[in-house]
């Protein structure tokens, strides 16, 4: 079975930094461990959204013990991220018409993948809530970057409300703990 991101990116996949390629080459379950800092926005709506998605608590500083499990499925991949002390933040990913779809609870986002020698970015193209397409004005503002520094995988992801208010910003570094 061809790994999900390789299937979507085709030849562009080979331009990615080695650590980014390694993370996305899951042909069987892989586990990664490292550090992560989590910054959450303020207010009751942000707290509710983070609780629904099971976003890890705020850490501010890079905290060890962050884990990622990538599990290939017949249709795509299951991603479970978080700190060992709490239930993981889980999403399902699959390809549809050359785009990456990611479902987090009741929300499904569809991304174009932008692969370069510098790293991988996800560009939000569509967003559905409870299966209903949202108008673009209601899309969350998503920013992602996966890179490599010194052979180590690094990630930087933020999500904001359409108003620009921060929902969550998490960033860190991961290394494989089993392949």
């Amino acid at each position: 079975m061809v790994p999900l991101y390789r299937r979507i990116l085709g030849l562009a996949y080979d331009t990615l930094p080695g650590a980014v390629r390694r993370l996305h080459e899951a042909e069987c379950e892989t586990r990664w461990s490292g550090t992560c800092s989590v910054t959450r926005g303020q207010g009751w709506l942000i707290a509710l959204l983070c609780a629904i998605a099971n976003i890890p608590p705020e850490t501010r500083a890079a905290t060890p013990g962050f884990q990622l499990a990538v599990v290939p499925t017949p249709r795509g991949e299951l991603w479970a991220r978080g700190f060992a002390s709490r239930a993981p933040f889980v999403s399902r990913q699959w390809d549809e018409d050359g785009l990456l779809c990611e479902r987090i609870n009741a929300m499904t986002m569809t991304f174009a993948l932008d692969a370069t020698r510098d790293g991988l970015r996800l560009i939000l193209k569509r967003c559905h809530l409870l299966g209903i397409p949202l108008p673009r004005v209601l899309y969350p503002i998503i920013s992602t970057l996966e890179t490599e520094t010194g052979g180590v995988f690094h990630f930087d992801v933020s999500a904001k409300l359409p108003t620009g208010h921060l929902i969550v910003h998490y960033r860190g570094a991961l290394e494989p703990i089993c392949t």
Side-chain angles (χ1 to χ4, degrees), residues 83-106:
F83 293 96
S85 62
R86 52 181 284 128
F89 165 59
V90 178
S91 68
R92 296 189 183 282
Q93 298 182 357
W94 68 94
D95 63 321
E96 190 171 285
D97 301 323
L99 299 172
L100 176 74
C101 297
E102 183 170 31
R103 183 176 185 103
I104 303 167
N105 294 330

Side-chain angles (χ1 to χ4, degrees), residues 127-157:
C127 191
H128 290 74
L129 182 62
L130 298 170
I132 300 167
L134 292 178
R136 186 165 287 282
V137 69
L138 295 179
Y139 285 12
I141 301 165
I142 307 290
S143 175
T144 69
L145 179 61
E146 297 178 2
T147 60
E148 175 185 328
T149 302
V152 175
F153 175 85
H154 288 262
F155 58 93
D156 191 329
V157 178

Side-chain angles (χ1 to χ4, degrees), residues 70-87:
V70 180
V71 182
T73 68
R75 191 162 178 222
E77 294 176 350
L78 175 72
W79 283 49
R81 329 157 174 79
F83 293 96
S85 62
R86 52 181 284 128

Side-chain angles (χ1 to χ4, degrees), residues 32-38 56 59-68 81-83 152-156 170-177:
W32 298 72
S33 182
T35 61
C36 181
S37 66
V38 179
T59 63
R60 296 272 179 189
T63 303
F66 188 77
Q67 297 182 6
L68 166 68
R81 329 157 174 79
F83 293 96
V152 175
F153 175 85
H154 288 262
F155 58 93
D156 191 329
Y170 60 98
R171 60 182 157 212
L174 293 168
E175 295 190 82
I177 53 176

